[in-house]
């Protein structure tokens, strides 16, 4: 019986698996570089556009809305055209988007900047979902949990992007110059990596009567994923993971500065400690997933994040709060890759399920900054972050849903990555 996606591509040689793995790790790193390299120049962007902080924040929401809109349809796009074609289209979209951002900042015109932010938001979703689907394919080929390694590379790329932005700023280079230079380098590298990084994933939808059936089956699969309780509950895990990781990036430095009357550099080091903890666990924690299974590791991660958040939010001392930062970072490390891996258990349905699950994280990224900002005005930034505990508890409650699926659709947590 034909399926929306061909689940049985030709078995690759071990060398090609290794090549695909490293190529995808580079893709994740580039994704991280691209995002933080321009977001780290927000003070200069605000000055170039002549906006207040509040106006700039509202403008950036446009990019988040673009991401949300794209996420809702990316599953069908991947099912119809494959991950490789989707990545090529996303790269082209990023080139246009960054070009518009450069025009906006160089001319002080908000309109092209907003258009560029929206286009980059769409392109970000068209990159994020395919690279995660391909990473899950590599994990299946390897036969053990390695998806956290890819997310660790994203974290490393994000840190590198911030350093790139700092370097351009230190040299007195304009934001427009940086945008063009970074986009040129990233585009060339993506062009080199696109074929090897997508070697293990099905490349297009197939159907009983050609393109029309393929198109219809892809759309049906994308809509059908929204009716699957397991997929929706995995989405809640991703929502909590995105709140935990994203809120730290947005608010932790300010929480340390305001909460402990510390210098700005101390706040930056605190966030650096969080990222370091998260990256180390993403590289070292895959063995735990293989040994103890996804559910046990996700529950341990949730407990670590919960204790860390409570320590950070309630501790009267910066020393014990710093312990909370480490525990929070360790707890935030594996939830996202575990959820993506769970959504990708069945290759035939991976694209729509990953798209649905990641839409929850997009909602978190859109809603968390303004909601936490309002709460911070009332109770302070450090105490406002305690609201994330509710999402972590919810993630713990539904953690059993990430058990690997067997071939008959049942769940099995005998292995960390994928059940036999």
């Amino acid at each position: 019986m034909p399926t929306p996606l061909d689940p049985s591509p030709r078995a690759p040689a071990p060398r090609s698996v290794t090549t695909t793995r490293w190529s995808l790790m580079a893709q994740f790193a580039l994704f991280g570089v691209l995002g933080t390299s321009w977001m780290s120049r927000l003070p200069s962007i605000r000055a170039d556009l002549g906006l207040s902080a509040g106006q700039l924040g509202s403008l950036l929401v446009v990019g988040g809305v673009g991401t949300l809109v794209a996420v809702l349809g990316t599953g069908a796009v991947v099912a119809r055209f494959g991950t490789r074609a989707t990545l090529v289209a996303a790269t082209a979209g990023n080139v246009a988007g960054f070009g518009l951002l450069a025009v906006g900042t160089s001319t002080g015109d908000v309109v092209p900047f907003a258009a560029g932010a929206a286009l980059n938001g769409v392109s970000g979703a068209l990159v994020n979902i395919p690279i995660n689907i391909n990473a899950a394919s590599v994990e299946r080929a390897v036969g053990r949990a390695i998806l956290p390694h890819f997310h660790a590379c994203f974290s490393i790329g994000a840190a590198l992007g911030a350093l790139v932005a700092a370097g351009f700023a230190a040299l007195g280079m304009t934001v427009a110059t940086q945008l063009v230079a970074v986009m040129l380098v990233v585009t060339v590298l993506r062009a080199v990596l696109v074929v090897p990084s997508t070697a293990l994933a099905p490349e297009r939808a197939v159907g009983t009567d050609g393109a029309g059936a393929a198109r219809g089956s892809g759309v049906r699969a994308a809509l059908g994923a929204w009716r699957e309780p397991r997929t929706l509950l995995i989405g809640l895990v991703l929502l909590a993971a995105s709140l935990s990781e994203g809120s730290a990036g947005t608010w932790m430095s300010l929480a340390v500065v305001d909460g402990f009357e510390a210098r700005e550099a101390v706040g930056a080091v605190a966030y650096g400690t969080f990222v370091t903890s998260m990256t180390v666990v993403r590289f070292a924690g895959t063995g735990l997933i293989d040994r103890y299974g996804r559910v046990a590791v996700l529950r341990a991660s949730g407990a670590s994040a919960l204790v860390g958040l409570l320590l950070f939010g309630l501790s009267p001392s910066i020393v014990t709060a710093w312990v909370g930062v480490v525990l929070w970072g360790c707890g935030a490390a594996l939830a996202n890759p575990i959820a993506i891996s769970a959504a990708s258990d069945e290759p035939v349905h991976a694209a729509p399920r990953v798209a649905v699950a990641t839409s929850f994280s997009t909602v978190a990224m859109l809603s968390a900054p303004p909601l936490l900002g309002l709460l911070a005005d009332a109770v302070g930034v450090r105490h406002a972050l305690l609201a994330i505990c509710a999402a972590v508890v919810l993630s713990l409650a539904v953690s059993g849903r990430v058990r690997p699926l067997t071939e008959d659709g049942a769940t099995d947590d005998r292995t960390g990555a994928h059940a036999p």
Side-chain angles (χ1 to χ4, degrees), residues 8-113:
S8 303
R10 184 174 61 184
R15 183 175 179 181
S16 67
V17 173
T18 301
T19 301
T20 300
R21 180 177 177 179
W22 284 102
S23 299
L24 262 176
M25 291 174 81
Q27 287 272 28
F28 272 82
L30 290 173
F31 191 36
V33 168
L34 208 57
T36 59
S37 62
W38 75 277
M39 291 295 287
S40 297
R41 296 296 303 272
L42 286 183
S44 296
I45 291 173
R46 179 177 62 182
D48 288 341
L49 297 177
L51 301 175
S52 67
Q55 290 171 327
L56 180 61
S58 299
L59 189 60
L60 294 177
V61 170
V62 173
V65 172
T67 301
L68 179 60
V69 171
V71 161
L72 298 177
T74 300
V77 171
V78 173
R80 174 68 181 90
F81 298 103
T83 58
R84 184 175 301 169
T86 304
L87 284 174
V88 171
T91 300
N94 273 141
V95 171
F98 270 74
L100 288 169
L101 292 180
V103 170
T105 55
S106 62
T107 62
D109 192 342
V110 171
V111 174
F113 185 90

Side-chain angles (χ1 to χ4, degrees), residues 302-314 320-321 323-329 386 389:
S304 178
L306 190 60
V307 172
L309 277 162
L310 290 172
L311 277 176
F312 181 76
L314 300 176
T320 50
V323 175
V325 169
V326 174
L327 290 174
W328 182 5
L386 291 172
C389 292

Side-chain angles (χ1 to χ4, degrees), residues 121 127 277 288 291 304 351 354-355:
V127 172
S277 302
L288 297 175
R291 182 171 182 177
S304 178
V354 171

Side-chain angles (χ1 to χ4, degrees), residues 40-414:
S40 297
R41 296 296 303 272
L42 286 183
S44 296
I45 291 173
R46 179 177 62 182
D48 288 341
L49 297 177
L51 301 175
S52 67
Q55 290 171 327
L56 180 61
S58 299
L59 189 60
L60 294 177
V61 170
V62 173
V65 172
T67 301
L68 179 60
V69 171
V71 161
L72 298 177
T74 300
V77 171
V78 173
R80 174 68 181 90
F81 298 103
T83 58
R84 184 175 301 169
T86 304
L87 284 174
V88 171
T91 300
N94 273 141
V95 171
F98 270 74
L100 288 169
L101 292 180
V103 170
T105 55
S106 62
T107 62
D109 192 342
V110 171
V111 174
F113 185 90
L119 189 52
N120 278 335
V122 171
S123 301
L126 293 177
V127 172
N128 185 33
I129 293 171
I131 61 176
N132 274 290
I133 292 169
N134 280 279
S137 298
V138 174
E139 185 177 74
R140 282 190 294 272
V142 172
R144 58 187 176 85
I146 61 168
L147 200 60
H149 293 173
F150 297 100
H151 289 254
C153 288
F154 173 84
S155 299
I156 293 171
L160 179 60
L163 289 176
V164 168
F168 274 90
L171 293 172
M173 307 289 280
T174 65
V175 175
T177 301
Q178 175 190 315
L179 290 171
V180 173
V182 171
M183 192 65 251
L184 179 62
V185 173
V186 169
T187 300
V188 171
L189 292 176
R190 278 181 170 176
V192 173
L193 294 168
V194 66
V195 173
S197 65
T198 57
L200 301 187
E203 277 310 307
R204 64 180 184 276
V206 294
T208 56
D209 52 0
R215 188 179 303 111
S217 62
V219 173
R220 285 194 298 272
L223 295 176
W226 284 99
R227 298 192 294 269
E228 297 174 353
R230 178 177 183 266
T231 302
L232 296 178
L233 293 176
I234 289 171
L236 292 179
V237 174
L238 266 176
L239 183 145
S242 296
L243 277 175
S244 184
E245 182 177 349
S247 298
T250 304
W251 298 107
M252 181 176 290
S253 297
L254 186 60
V256 170
V257 172
D258 289 355
F260 298 103
E261 299 182 351
R263 292 175 298 175
E264 185 175 5
V266 176
V269 172
Y271 180 61
T273 302
F274 176 88
V275 173
T276 300
S277 302
M278 190 168 57
T279 303
V280 168
V281 172
R282 280 178 169 171
F283 275 119
T286 54
L288 297 175
I289 300 174
D290 287 328
R291 182 171 182 177
Y292 298 108
R294 291 178 188 160
V295 176
V297 173
L298 181 59
R299 287 171 176 166
S301 297
S304 178
L306 190 60
V307 172
L309 277 162
L310 290 172
L311 277 176
F312 181 76
L314 300 176
S315 175
S317 165
I318 192 171
V319 175
T320 50
W322 214 279
V323 175
V325 169
V326 174
L327 290 174
W328 182 5
C330 291
L334 298 176
N336 194 309
I338 285 175
I340 294 292
S341 184
S344 305
D345 272 340
E346 294 179 299
V348 171
H349 305 294
R353 287 174 179 170
V354 171
V356 168
T358 54
S359 68
F360 282 77
S361 63
T362 304
V363 169
M365 288 187 292
L366 282 174
S367 61
L371 292 178
L372 286 175
L374 291 173
L375 189 58
D377 287 340
V379 300
V381 178
R382 194 159 65 99
H383 292 155
L385 290 172
L386 291 172
I388 303 170
C389 292
V392 175
V393 171
L394 180 61
S395 176
L396 285 169
V398 301
S399 57
R401 295 293 182 157
V402 301
R403 287 189 177 90
L405 292 176
T406 59
E407 291 181 357
D408 61 359
T411 56
D412 183 352
D413 205 26
R414 288 174 291 171

